[in-house]
Amino acid sequence: KAAEEQDDSENEDAMDIDMESKDDPLDLKLRFYIGQFVKCVIAELGSVNESRKPGAKASTAHSNRIELTLMPEEVNSRIDPDDLCQGQILTASVKSVEDRGYVLNSGITAAETATFLPTAAAKAWLARWMPHGTELRVGQLVEAAITKVSDDKRSIRVTIDPELVSHATVKGTYKTMASVQPGQLIPATVMKVWSRGLSLRFMGFYDCSADLAALGMLDASDKSRIESAYEPASSVAVRVLYVSLTAAAKTVVVSTAPHIVSLLPRPAPTGYELPQAARLATGIASADAAVATGSGSAASEGGFWPIPYGTVIDGCTVVNVIEKFGVVLQIPGVASVRAFCSIGNLVDKEDEKPSVG
């Protein structure tokens, strides 16, 4: 009987541990998914050399440690409450789970007490990104589109439906440029076409730019190809990637790449399309077996697995040379992705500086 009681006690302890693991706030897989777009703010800059081991050689390159934060209070801190409007996209976190929905924290002082998401409104998001989940969890980050703002700006209604969020567009003009946020979809006008990208203008007088990578045209070797896709004075839908507002310069970088505009994970190689990458990732010597094993693992993780560092890829083709920056390469067998090699990585010795372009 004592043994039975001990077994029962051990089973209860195991169940308690299992329940705790399911609700573990440090299990990031319960709150994020591979391919998820997140907005972040630089929280701190520090030199890597400050914490290097005694006697270690200091790096001559720019070696900075960049610490980021995803907290809505920081990400949305510059948004002017007067600029809150329908179609605006905010980063929000789940503050609490209630009987009929979720209280969200938008980080905006004027709206933090009245951002509520009904349970039914989260079902589309869960079905798309976390089909095995039954509800959002406290602390989970979501991108929410504003559907309604009260007259006093103290109450906002939002949706996280992926389809609605991906099409949410701000049609008005912000009072301040600080309210421009990464992730926002906006209509912009092409002002000038350059050999390395576009200069655009949105909301009448705010300037932004898109480089070749943001256009999905890294292999565009001349300006005429860019002009054939984007004519001056034409209107194009762009999504904001990066915002930097300082006294010295105001920079807004946008993208027209389809997967960015639609807020969908990029259709990229799994990393196992290349036999040499599969061997490194799986530790299996046979290329065929490594690819087969790796493909199964990638599928279980949502169809994505990064190409491991150190992978040697033979037979790459130079498809573009970007003056003073580096070269663009095509990876054999992977038509959807271009690789970039900077000038510093074209030679082995630090003191050698090759001429490109």
Side-chain angles (χ1 to χ4, degrees):
K1 184 176 180 180
E4 292 178 356
E5 291 178 353
Q6 182 177 359
D7 290 340
D8 291 340
S9 175
E10 291 176 354
N11 290 336
E12 290 177 0
D13 291 342
M15 291 178 64
D16 291 340
I17 293 174
D18 184 59
M19 290 299 293
E20 290 176 0
S21 64
K22 289 182 179 179
D23 295 329
D24 183 3
L26 298 181
D27 189 349
L28 299 183
K29 288 185 178 180
L30 299 177
R31 288 166 173 78
F32 296 92
Y33 58 88
I34 294 177
Q36 180 176 356
F37 289 90
V38 294
K39 284 188 282 189
C40 58
V41 170
I42 297 175
E44 185 178 345
L45 295 176
S47 173
V48 174
N49 293 327
E50 292 175 0
S51 58
R52 63 187 174 91
K53 295 181 180 180
K57 183 180 178 181
S59 173
T60 57
H62 296 290
S63 54
N64 289 331
R65 182 184 70 253
I66 303 177
E67 294 187 6
L68 308 174
T69 177
L70 306 180
M71 298 294 289
E73 294 87 347
E74 299 295 332
V75 173
N76 299 329
S77 63
R78 290 190 172 187
I79 296 179
D80 190 320
D82 290 337
D83 284 332
L84 293 174
C85 61
Q86 183 178 352
Q88 190 173 21
I89 296 178
L90 304 174
T91 291
S93 62
V94 179
K95 187 175 183 180
S96 64
V97 180
E98 308 297 337
D99 292 338
R100 298 183 178 180
Y102 309 90
V103 176
L104 301 182
N105 172 28
S106 66
I108 301 175
T109 304
E112 66 178 3
T113 59
T115 308
F116 186 77
L117 180 72
T119 301
K123 289 183 177 180
W125 190 94
L126 289 167
R128 169 74 69 85
W129 303 124
M130 292 187 171
H132 300 297
T134 58
E135 65 177 16
L136 300 177
R137 297 173 180 269
V138 173
Q140 191 161 1
L141 286 176
V142 293
E143 293 300 304
I146 297 178
T147 58
K148 187 176 181 180
V149 182
S150 63
D151 293 337
D152 59 3
K153 305 289 185 178
R154 292 191 58 82
S155 176
I156 60 177
R157 292 184 183 179
V158 299
T159 179
I160 63 171
D161 184 309
E163 191 68 20
L164 297 177
V165 172
S166 67
H167 289 90
T169 306
V170 172
K171 298 179 180 179
T173 301
Y174 289 146
K175 183 178 71 174
T176 170
M177 196 174 183
S179 295
V180 178
Q181 291 283 293
Q184 186 63 61
L185 184 66
I186 51 177
T189 302
V190 177
M191 304 303 294
K192 190 173 181 61
V193 179
W194 306 87
S195 59
R196 295 181 185 173
L198 300 176
S199 292
L200 308 100
R201 183 164 295 169
F202 64 99
M203 295 184 180
F205 47 86
Y206 295 138
D207 293 325
C208 61
S209 63
D211 60 18
L212 293 178
L215 297 175
M217 302 180 71
L218 269 177
D219 55 354
S221 57
D222 56 67
K223 189 170 71 171
S224 62
R225 182 179 166 187
I226 304 175
E227 288 177 328
S228 65
Y230 302 97
E231 296 181 0
S234 63
S235 181
V236 59
V238 300
R239 194 173 296 279
V240 180
L241 289 181
Y242 168 80
V243 178
S244 176
L245 305 178
T246 66
K250 295 176 172 58
T251 304
V252 178
V253 177
V254 299
S255 175
T256 64
H259 68 287
I260 298 291
V261 172
S262 59
L263 287 181
L264 291 173
R266 191 190 193 287
T270 63
Y272 293 103
E273 295 174 353
L274 303 174
Q276 55 269 54
R279 285 196 294 267
L280 277 178
T282 62
I284 300 175
S286 169
D288 293 339
V291 171
T293 301
S295 297
S297 301
S300 65
E301 293 291 339
F304 173 83
W305 193 271
I307 297 176
Y309 290 116
T311 302
V312 177
I313 304 175
D314 297 320
C316 293
T317 303
V318 176
V319 293
N320 193 14
V321 176
I322 302 179
E323 186 179 359
K324 298 181 181 179
F325 281 87
V327 296
V328 180
L329 308 169
Q330 180 176 343
I331 301 174
V334 184
S336 63
V337 175
R338 295 291 180 267
F340 178 75
C341 184
S342 64
I343 291 180
N345 289 327
L346 289 173
V347 294
D348 294 329
K349 297 181 180 180
E350 294 184 358
D351 56 346
E352 292 184 5
K353 295 182 179 179
S355 176
V356 176

